[in-house]
């Protein structure tokens, strides 16, 4: 459980921190890359425009000095000169329609930036081939994309490492809290650095552990004292009952009443013994010297509570195996007695079936059943159903005992159709 808690905490916090760091790095990289690319595009356009303007002015100046000067004709720059009012069969029609100013046009699948000027009745046009520049722009964009991806990966790796460094103390604190029993919990501030986590461990959780220790000590002391105080008068009552049972002057009716008193006293003694065992935490981890016979405990529970059966109810016990559990018989008696007693109490007619096998004990009845709303609360302390005459602590005690031993208790029921209570101890260590 502690290992799962630690892993879940580490995964969640580490993933969130790493994802946040990677996302932040990626967004910053995208923003900077976008700004750089737009700036490069703007600078590239201005450079081409300045190149066209300077080339055009240079050619116009050369032609003014030498009318026979030939316009430039390179891979990137191409110039034209013509009179707008004269026929020019050798010049492309897109050039002839250009007015003075900056333009963009496409010829033969190639995009050009163009600039036209008039001087002395002659129109000068200079073209700049954008293909090479756009190719360089694409290469630059690809470089930016690769850089952004690399930044995202580096940010994710750095974020994962940083998140591990940040989460490690929290995971360690969670492991210490989850792997230690409340009765033995102890947090040492020296195990953590002098930061917020160290202050949390030594301050908040340290005080919490102290209060928990004090609370558990008071609970154990109260339960132990009450159990000891109750056992003495109960033993006296039991001794008196045993004397009455051996009194030959009592008639059968009186013997029945004394027998009911004895069963009640035995039940109270078992309950106080169970409370005392629950208070002594160390006893829950020590196997008794004699294994507990489950079938014998079930038979005793049926016999002890048979007086609660109505005349029209039958009981059937099916011991399919003879499981031997290394547990305190008193605690198992409490669990079985509550399941059997509930079935007897709420079954006015029909039958109660009890099955014992290697997996557990199942008690099925045809009684009044439990509603869906009530069945969710039956293990809560002091909860009582509308037909219950008890104090509401029986099943809550059963649940506590099952939790201590690692057993499972499941109750399925339908109103007016009966109830099935199943105690599963197959996951616990047992002898067969």
């Amino acid at each position: 459980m502690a290992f799962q808690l630690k892993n879940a905490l580490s995964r969640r916090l580490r993933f969130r921190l790493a994802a946040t760091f990677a996302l932040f790095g990626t967004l910053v990289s995208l923003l900077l890359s976008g700004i750089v690319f737009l700036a490069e595009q703007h600078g590239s356009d201005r450079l081409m425009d300045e190149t066209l303007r300077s080339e055009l002015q240079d050619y116009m100046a050369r032609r003014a000095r030498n009318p026979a000067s030939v316009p430039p004709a390179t891979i990137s720059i191409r110039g034209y000169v013509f009179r707008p009012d004269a026929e020019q069969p050798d010049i492309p029609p897109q050039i002839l329609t250009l007015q003075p100013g900056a333009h963009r046009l496409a010829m033969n699948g190639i995009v050009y930036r163009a600039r036209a000027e008039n001087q002395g009745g002659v129109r000068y046009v200079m073209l700049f081939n954008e293909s090479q520049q756009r190719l360089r722009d694409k290469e630059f964009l690809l470089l930016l994309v690769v850089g952004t991806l690399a930044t995202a990966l580096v940010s994710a790796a750095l974020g994962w490492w940083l998140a591990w460094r940040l989460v490690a103390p929290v995971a360690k604190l969670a492991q210490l809290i989850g792997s230690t029993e409340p009765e033995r919990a102890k947090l040492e501030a020296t195990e953590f650095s002098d930061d917020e986590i160290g202050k949390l461990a030594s301050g908040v959780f340290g005080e919490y552990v102290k209060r928990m220790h004090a609370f558990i000590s008071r609970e154990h002391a109260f339960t132990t004292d009450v159990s000891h105080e109750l056992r003495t008068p109960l033993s006296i009552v039991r001794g008196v009952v045993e004397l009455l049972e051996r009194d030959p002057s009592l008639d059968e009716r009186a013997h029945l009443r004394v027998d009911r008193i004895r069963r009640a006293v035995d039940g109270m003694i078992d309950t106080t013994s169970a409370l005392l065992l629950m208070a002594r935490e160390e006893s829950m981890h020590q196997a008794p010297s004699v294994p507990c016979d489950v079938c014998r405990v079930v038979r005793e529970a049926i016999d002890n509570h048979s007086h609660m059966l109505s005349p029209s109810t039958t009981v059937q016990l099916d011991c399919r195996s003879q499981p031997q559990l290394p547990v305190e018989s008193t605690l198992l008696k409490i669990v079985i007695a509550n399941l059997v007693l509930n079935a007897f109490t709420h079954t006015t007619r029909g039958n109660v079936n009890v099955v014992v096998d290697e997996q557990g004990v199942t008690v099925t009845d045809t009684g009044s059943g439990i509603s869906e709303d009530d069945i969710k609360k039956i293990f809560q302390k002091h909860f009582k159903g509308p037909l219950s005459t008890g104090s509401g602590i029986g099943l809550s005690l059963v649940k506590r005992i099952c939790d201590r031993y690692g057993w499972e208790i499941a109750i399925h029921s339908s109103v007016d159709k009966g109830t099935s209570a199943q105690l599963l101890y197959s996951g616990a260590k047992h002898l067969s």
Side-chain angles (χ1 to χ4, degrees):
M1 183 63 183
F3 180 76
Q4 294 176 351
L5 175 63
K6 176 185 176 183
N7 282 351
L9 180 63
S10 300
R11 284 197 300 269
R12 291 174 184 174
L13 287 180
R14 189 185 302 177
F15 177 79
R16 290 176 183 175
L17 289 173
T20 301
F21 200 89
L23 180 61
F24 178 76
T26 302
L27 290 178
V28 171
S29 179
L30 283 174
L31 180 62
L32 293 178
S33 298
I35 293 175
V36 170
F37 182 73
L38 292 177
E40 190 275 338
Q41 285 283 84
H42 180 69
S44 176
D45 292 344
R46 288 192 61 182
L47 179 62
M48 287 187 290
D49 290 339
E50 291 295 332
T51 301
L52 276 176
R53 186 181 294 108
S54 62
E55 288 287 343
L56 183 60
Q57 291 176 355
D58 180 69
Y59 176 64
M60 290 171 64
R62 284 191 290 108
R63 196 171 187 278
R65 294 191 301 269
N66 182 13
S69 296
V70 179
T74 64
I75 295 177
S76 301
I77 301 292
R78 179 170 296 184
Y80 297 90
V81 58
F82 59 90
R83 291 185 176 275
D85 54 352
E87 291 290 335
Q88 303 290 340
D90 297 333
I91 298 178
Q94 297 95 325
I95 303 298
L96 296 174
T97 58
L98 290 179
Q99 298 299 318
H103 306 275
R104 293 185 78 230
L105 72 155
M107 294 190 306
N108 300 323
I110 301 175
V111 178
Y112 295 91
R113 298 182 78 87
R115 190 169 187 85
E117 296 288 346
N118 290 335
Q119 188 179 49
V122 178
R123 179 165 296 171
Y124 296 86
V125 177
M126 197 67 64
L127 302 181
F128 187 96
N129 188 348
E130 292 187 357
S131 301
Q132 292 298 322
Q133 186 61 37
R134 296 310 174 198
L135 181 60
R136 285 191 290 270
D137 290 344
K138 290 181 180 179
E139 293 175 351
F140 183 69
L141 178 61
L142 179 61
L143 181 63
L144 288 178
V145 171
V146 173
T148 301
L149 292 177
T151 303
L153 292 176
V154 171
S155 299
L158 183 60
W160 189 262
W161 176 81
L162 183 61
W164 178 82
R165 291 294 303 272
L166 292 175
V167 170
V170 180
K172 183 179 180 181
L173 180 60
Q175 183 184 24
L176 285 175
I177 296 174
S179 62
T180 309
E181 296 293 334
E183 292 81 355
R184 303 175 180 86
K186 185 178 182 182
L187 293 177
E188 295 291 346
T190 56
E191 298 182 6
F192 301 91
S193 57
D194 188 17
D195 54 12
E196 288 79 3
I197 301 299
K199 293 179 181 178
L200 180 65
S202 61
V204 177
F205 283 105
E207 292 299 322
Y208 175 77
V209 168
K210 291 180 181 177
R211 292 196 300 269
M212 181 65 71
H213 284 171
F215 172 78
I216 293 175
S217 298
R218 289 195 302 268
E219 181 187 19
H220 284 184
F222 173 78
T223 306
T224 303
D225 293 343
V226 170
S227 300
H228 279 299
E229 291 298 326
L230 288 177
R231 292 177 75 179
T232 300
L234 287 175
S235 299
I236 296 174
V237 174
R238 188 174 188 178
V240 174
V241 169
E242 291 176 354
L243 291 175
L244 290 174
E245 286 179 332
R246 291 194 293 269
D247 189 349
S249 63
L250 295 180
D251 56 16
E252 183 178 357
R253 188 174 180 180
H255 271 292
L256 291 176
R257 291 175 179 174
V258 171
D259 186 60
R260 293 187 62 180
I261 296 174
R262 180 188 57 78
R263 284 195 294 264
V265 171
D266 290 341
M268 293 180 67
I269 292 176
D270 288 341
T271 302
T272 53
S273 299
L275 292 175
L276 186 59
L277 288 171
M278 297 284 283
R280 295 172 179 170
E281 186 70 22
E282 64 276 3
S283 65
M284 303 299 296
H285 305 282
Q286 299 175 356
S289 57
V290 179
C292 181
D293 187 338
V294 178
C295 285
R296 180 181 59 81
V297 172
V298 172
R299 290 191 185 94
E300 290 179 357
I302 294 175
D303 293 340
N304 292 337
H305 298 92
S306 59
H307 64 281
M308 300 296 296
L309 282 171
S310 66
S312 56
T313 302
T314 60
V315 180
Q316 182 177 359
L317 172 60
D318 182 8
C319 284
R320 299 176 182 176
S321 61
Q322 301 292 326
Q324 306 288 321
L325 296 182
V327 300
E328 292 289 343
S329 61
T330 303
L331 297 178
L332 183 61
K333 287 180 181 179
I334 293 293
V335 175
I336 300 299
N338 273 277
L339 300 183
V340 171
L341 180 59
N342 287 337
F344 288 1
T345 303
H346 298 288
T347 305
T348 57
R349 62 172 56 88
N351 54 75
V352 176
N353 294 324
V354 183
V355 177
V356 180
D357 55 27
E358 289 295 323
Q359 302 299 318
V361 179
T362 303
V363 181
T364 306
D365 63 65
T366 57
S368 57
I370 308 171
S371 66
E372 292 184 5
D373 293 334
D374 289 346
I375 205 168
K376 300 175 182 177
K377 308 174 186 177
I378 55 177
F379 293 118
Q380 297 179 7
K381 187 179 294 186
H382 303 306
F383 173 76
K384 296 171 56 176
L387 302 178
S388 177
T389 58
S391 58
I393 64 172
L395 288 178
S396 65
L397 181 58
V398 167
K399 188 65 168 62
R400 287 182 59 189
I401 295 173
C402 291
D403 291 341
R404 294 292 182 93
Y405 279 117
W407 301 339
E408 294 183 19
I409 180 72
I411 296 181
H412 306 280
S413 183
S414 298
V415 177
D416 297 330
K417 293 184 179 179
T419 302
S420 176
Q422 190 174 30
L423 170 66
L424 296 176
Y425 47 71
S426 58
K429 182 179 179 182
H430 65 276
L431 307 172
S432 58

